[in-house]
Amino acid sequence: MSTFAAIFAPDGKVWRGTEVELDEADVIDDITDLMVDFAVDRGGDEALLLVEADDEWFAIVRAEDGGEEPRIYLSDARVVHDHPVASVLSEAGGLGAPPPSESAGSRPNPVPDGDGDLLTDLGVTEDELRDLASGGGVLPSDVLAVVAERAGFADLLDGMRL
């Protein structure tokens, strides 16, 4: 299982980013602590986490310093049965988890779930995020590239993905 995860935090008008490992994350606090620590160390108070796994699904988490609950979006709620990180995010976000599929193989028709408004102020509306998540032929990495472009950290993301 190949998973890419990176935290991005604005430092004034400049974004900073770092790739992270989430294999040891058992609860959402493990993830949000990483995010907030990264942001605070750079003089900010909020961070985005972008996760992409196996070219099948993506997740976006937005966390702020101050103890508020993180905002979470998962491109396909059905993956919670197969991916521990997706399960942690789904549970924390109060997202629905459809019953596991009996068949193996690809999962057409993703079931997006979560806070679709979490990126509106960064230029990606809820409708657009849902369309990107459920659009046929659009890879999760392409969706995250759109998010990064609109938010202003596309070069950082591209540099990590090379």
Side-chain angles (χ1 to χ4, degrees):
M1 174 176 359
S2 171
T3 302
F4 170 80
I7 298 171
F8 299 91
D11 174 9
K13 293 189 179 206
V14 177
W15 285 84
R16 307 285 181 213
T18 188
E19 194 168 345
V20 293
E21 291 292 327
L22 300 177
D23 296 338
E24 302 295 319
D26 294 322
V27 295
I28 193 64
D29 288 346
D30 296 338
I31 295 170
T32 55
D33 287 350
L34 277 174
M35 295 173 66
V36 170
D37 288 349
F38 182 79
V40 169
D41 288 349
R42 277 134 196 92
D45 62 354
E46 73 172 319
L48 288 177
L49 172 71
L50 304 183
V51 180
E52 181 266 321
D54 301 326
D55 286 334
E56 289 183 18
W57 61 274
F58 70 87
I60 302 169
V61 180
R62 191 167 187 169
E64 296 181 17
D65 189 23
E68 292 189 30
E69 292 297 316
R71 299 171 68 187
I72 299 168
Y73 187 84
L74 190 59
S75 67
D76 191 347
R78 299 172 298 177
V79 301
V80 301
H81 305 289
D82 301 325
H83 296 274
V85 170
S87 179
V88 168
L89 297 177
S90 177
E91 183 179 321
L95 310 183
S101 173
E102 294 292 326
S103 64
S106 66
R107 294 182 174 108
N109 308 315
V111 180
D113 198 3
D115 185 349
D117 283 331
L118 83 164
L119 300 172
T120 301
D121 63 323
L122 297 176
V124 181
T125 66
E126 180 175 12
D127 289 340
E128 184 176 17
L129 188 57
R130 184 168 297 276
D131 287 347
L132 288 167
S134 59
V138 179
L139 293 174
S141 58
D142 295 336
V143 176
L144 297 183
V146 169
V147 169
E149 179 71 33
R150 299 278 177 77
F153 57 86
D155 289 342
L156 276 173
L157 179 63
D158 288 346
M160 291 177 192
R161 298 303 312 245
L162 294 178

